[in-house]
Every structure is written in C-alpha cells, then in structure tokens.
Amino acid sequence: MEIEKLEPSADRAVIERIAALVNQVYAESEKGLWQGSTDRTSADEVAGFVRAGEIAVAFVDGDFAGSVRVRRLDDATGEFGMLAADPARRGAGVGRELVAFAERSCRAAGCREMQLELLVPREWTHPSKQFLAEWYDRLGYRVTHRADLAEDYPHLAPSLATPCDFLVYRKALA
Ligand SMILES: CC(C)(COP(=O)(O)OP(=O)(O)OC[C@H]1O[C@@H](n2cnc3c(N)ncnc32)[C@H](O)[C@@H]1OP(=O)(O)O)[C@@H](O)C(=O)NCCC(=O)NCCS
C-alpha cells in the first residue's frame, strides 16, 4: 500500500473519484442523521483542499483505495477528517494507514496533538458510529468535548433528521 499527499496539480479525475468515494461511504455511515440526500462534499470542495495540500490518498496495487483530509488547526494541533476507504477493501488496513499517515505528517510538522470530530445520533446507536468510536478508542483517541450539534453548528440544525451530538476526540502525538 502507498499513501501520498496529493499534489496541487492533481488531475480532476482523481479529485472526482475522491469526492464520489467520500459521498458514497458517508451516505452509509451517516444514514438516518440527515434529511434527504445530503452529500458530504463536492469535487469543487475537494479541489480546494487539494490546492491547500490537505488531501492524502491511498493506493493498493496502483488502484485508488481511500483518502483523508489532514490539516493543522494551530501550531500544536493537527486534525484529520473526511476519512474514507473503498468498501471493496474494508479491513485491509487502508483506514489505519491513512490515520497513521495523518499522525506522522502532523508530528513531523511539530504538532503535539491530533484531533478528529465524530457526529453521533443522541438517542440511538448507529452501527457505523459505534464501530468508529471503538476503533478510535483502540487507536488511542479520547473524547474531550461533547456538544449538541445544533448549538455548535446552528446552520446545520434544520438539515438534521434526528438530534445529534458532536464529539471531539484527541490524542497526544508522542
Ligand atoms: C473508517 C474507515 C475509513 C476504515 O477503513 P478500513 O480500510 O476498513 O480500515 P482498516 O482496514 O484499517 O480497519 C479498521 C479497523 O476495523 C476493523 N475491521 C475491519 N473490518 C471489520 C469488520 N468487518 N468488522 C469489524 N471490524 C472490522 C479492523 O480490524 C481494524 O481494527 P484495528 O485497527 O484495531 O485492527 C471505513 O470504514 C470508512 O470509509 N467508513 C465510512 C466513512 C467514515 O465513517 N469515516 C470516518 C468519519 S469520522
């Protein structure tokens, strides 16, 4: 498996594949949370992240297999988000390697902590979110902030299909 940061000159076709994969996997992992069909991202938004040097991609045997957005929140804190692995390759380590890449690159840039955000339904358990909470725990991430999404992001409240909490996870980068 190879993980690399996408160059700002990346082909539009690659950018479109990333946006399509993110929307495909989030449609499942956020099923029931949003009203209607709410895409997580668009090719134009991903193109902006690529220009900012924030997108890393995974290749297995030369095939695109997943992606993640990595950025610095401040001098000491890195963040990853929009993590997506090809469902046809689930469990092959693509997700783990993308997270490891995000942590390595933030550590190399001088960050001491890593952060991620997870949206969860407040009144029921979503299997994808339950899997993620357990996996992030195994990777060493701990919840440092829990809030009502509608309070932290009021503009998103009308689109929610169910009350949701917004969890911030953090991990020290040794
Ligand atoms: C989260 C995601 C990127 C993980 O991708 P992946 O390539 O399957 O990840 P890995 O192969 O590294 O496996 C991750 C863990 O899941 C476990 N796992 C994999 N397949 C599994 C399965 N079918 N059942 C139970 N556990 C499984 C692995 O053992 C691994 O745990 P470990 O690291 O403790 O060994 C992928 O599930 C995904 O795209 N999800 C939808 C998008 C999403 O929710 N993103 C995160 C938003 S915060």
Side-chain angles (χ1 to χ4, degrees):
M1 186 181 325
E2 289 182 32
I3 313 277
E4 60 189 50
K5 192 170 103 174
L6 261 195
E7 293 302 324
S9 58
D11 278 0
R12 182 76 182 182
V14 175
I15 288 166
E16 285 176 359
R17 285 190 71 186
I18 294 169
L21 176 66
V22 168
N23 287 332
Q24 179 194 347
V25 299
Y26 272 76
E28 180 60 34
S29 73
E30 304 224 316
K31 203 176 197 164
L33 304 193
W34 302 101
Q35 295 184 39
S37 58
T38 313
D39 276 350
R40 171 68 177 77
T41 192
S42 65
D44 285 346
E45 185 181 57
V46 172
F49 298 155
V50 169
R51 279 196 298 277
E54 295 178 348
I55 298 290
V57 283
F59 290 95
V60 177
D61 300 330
D63 290 335
F64 171 65
S67 58
V68 66
R69 180 186 181 201
V70 189
R71 61 180 177 146
R72 281 175 79 159
L73 296 177
D74 57 46
D75 284 352
T77 318
E79 182 191 61
F80 74 84
M82 247 172 55
L83 175 65
D86 181 350
R89 298 180 188 276
R90 282 284 155 81
V94 172
R96 187 168 48 240
E97 291 302 322
L98 284 166
V99 172
F101 180 91
E103 292 175 352
R104 262 198 320 276
S105 55
C106 289
R107 193 182 296 117
C111 293
R112 292 191 300 274
E113 270 198 308
M114 203 69 197
Q115 176 169 312
L116 68 91
E117 295 175 351
L118 189 64
L119 183 67
V120 295
R122 188 176 311 137
E123 290 158 2
W124 47 281
T125 303
H126 189 305
S128 299
K129 301 294 183 171
Q130 187 63 26
F131 157 75
L132 286 168
E134 290 168 12
W135 184 47
Y136 289 142
D137 183 71
R138 290 204 294 284
L139 291 175
Y141 287 84
R142 300 291 175 259
V143 177
T144 59
H145 177 76
R146 181 173 193 127
D148 182 347
L149 181 90
E151 273 175 30
D152 277 24
Y153 294 95
H155 67 287
L156 294 177
S159 308
L160 284 176
T162 187
C164 281
D165 279 345
F166 168 74
L167 306 181
V168 176
Y169 282 77
R170 284 204 168 212
K171 171 185 179 174
L173 293 174

